Amino acid sequence: MIHYFERGRSPEAPVLVLFHGTGGTERDLIPLARRISPESAILSLRGNVLENGMPRFFRRLAEGVFDEADLVFRTKEVQDFLDHAAEEYGLPRTRFVAVGYSNGANLAGSLLFHFRGSFSGAILHHPMVPLRGTTLPDLSGVPVFIGAGRNDPISPARETEELQSMLASAGADVSVHWTYYGHGLSDGEAAAAKDWFEQHFTSMDGKERSGSV
């Protein structure tokens, strides 16, 4: 997969794995990642699917209607890539934390849905439920941050609430940060994600914690 890698300043810090939104690239979320955890290594992916020339992580049939077969295929594709990248770059696979926005958040969520140990935590900005009718793996001890907008026309509040319930039922520790904005990522939401990350992955003395998985 086309990707960007930047080695972190601290080997103890979790690795941030970035997933852009529709039409984005592997460069889009780098400023957000540096804000969330300046010490972390960054592994940022570009989606392998094109929709009218715009990169995505999986196909869709219409707005909000996922091609579920392609989603499952692409989820396995990304999981295999992350395992390979961990070996290639000498990264601790058990300390990968996802940071995704919109389509990228949906793919990151699908990884949580399909593979136990895919991430030790996840920051999902404006996600939807990636797949229904599936049994989630045990997510006990995995913290998940969801950034959501009460007025989001693409990822409505009911999607957030259902996703929160599904993840929590699998044992994840889910925190939802609500705003009254739409689908865009606000500065306040980014700040909340940083605070959440510091709470879950940074100890009181400032040293990075290991992931839970």
Side-chain angles (χ1 to χ4, degrees):
M1 298 187 71
I2 296 173
H3 64 283
Y4 168 85
F5 174 68
E6 180 180 311
R7 198 163 295 281
R9 288 187 277 175
S10 169
E12 302 301 319
V15 177
L16 298 187
V17 184
L18 312 185
F19 300 89
H20 62 77
T22 297
T25 74
E26 66 278 10
R27 297 279 177 171
D28 283 16
L29 297 183
I30 292 172
L32 175 63
R34 288 175 176 155
R35 178 175 181 175
I36 290 172
S37 180
E39 302 297 311
S40 287
I42 294 172
L43 179 61
S44 186
L45 283 59
R46 183 190 297 186
N48 273 349
V49 171
L50 289 178
E51 180 181 274
N52 298 320
M54 299 184 297
R56 282 177 54 86
F57 284 97
F58 58 90
R59 297 187 183 95
R60 58 183 172 182
L61 306 177
E63 184 74 61
V65 182
F66 301 160
D67 181 333
E68 294 185 355
D70 190 64
L71 171 59
V72 172
F73 174 81
R74 300 297 174 181
T75 300
K76 178 64 165 57
E77 178 182 59
V78 172
Q79 175 74 1
D80 290 344
F81 172 78
L82 295 180
D83 291 343
H84 174 77
E87 293 184 8
E88 179 180 357
Y89 294 118
L91 302 172
R93 184 65 181 88
T94 58
R95 296 214 306 272
F96 279 20
V97 175
V99 181
Y101 167 66
S102 192
N103 174 246
N106 296 334
L107 193 284
S110 184
L111 284 159
L112 291 173
F113 270 43
H114 286 91
F115 297 103
R116 186 179 188 276
S118 57
F119 297 113
S120 62
I123 296 173
L124 308 177
H125 294 287
H126 301 264
M128 297 176 66
V129 175
L131 197 66
R132 294 176 173 86
T134 187
T135 300
L136 274 65
D138 181 10
L139 296 176
S140 298
V142 178
V144 178
F145 172 95
I146 298 176
R150 291 286 184 188
N151 298 312
D152 189 335
I154 298 175
S155 301
R158 64 179 181 276
E159 286 279 336
T160 299
E161 291 161 355
E162 184 179 355
L163 179 59
Q164 177 186 17
S165 177
M166 294 175 75
L167 291 170
S169 294
D173 176 12
V174 186
S175 302
V176 179
H177 176 78
W178 289 101
T179 71
Y180 284 90
Y181 295 101
H183 196 64
L185 176 55
S186 69
D187 184 73
E189 185 177 323
K194 175 179 174 62
D195 291 344
W196 174 90
F197 182 89
E198 292 178 346
Q199 177 185 351
H200 287 88
F201 292 95
T202 308
S203 61
M204 295 301 290
D205 61 4
K207 296 180 179 179
E208 298 287 347
R209 297 175 182 168
S210 295
S212 303
V213 175

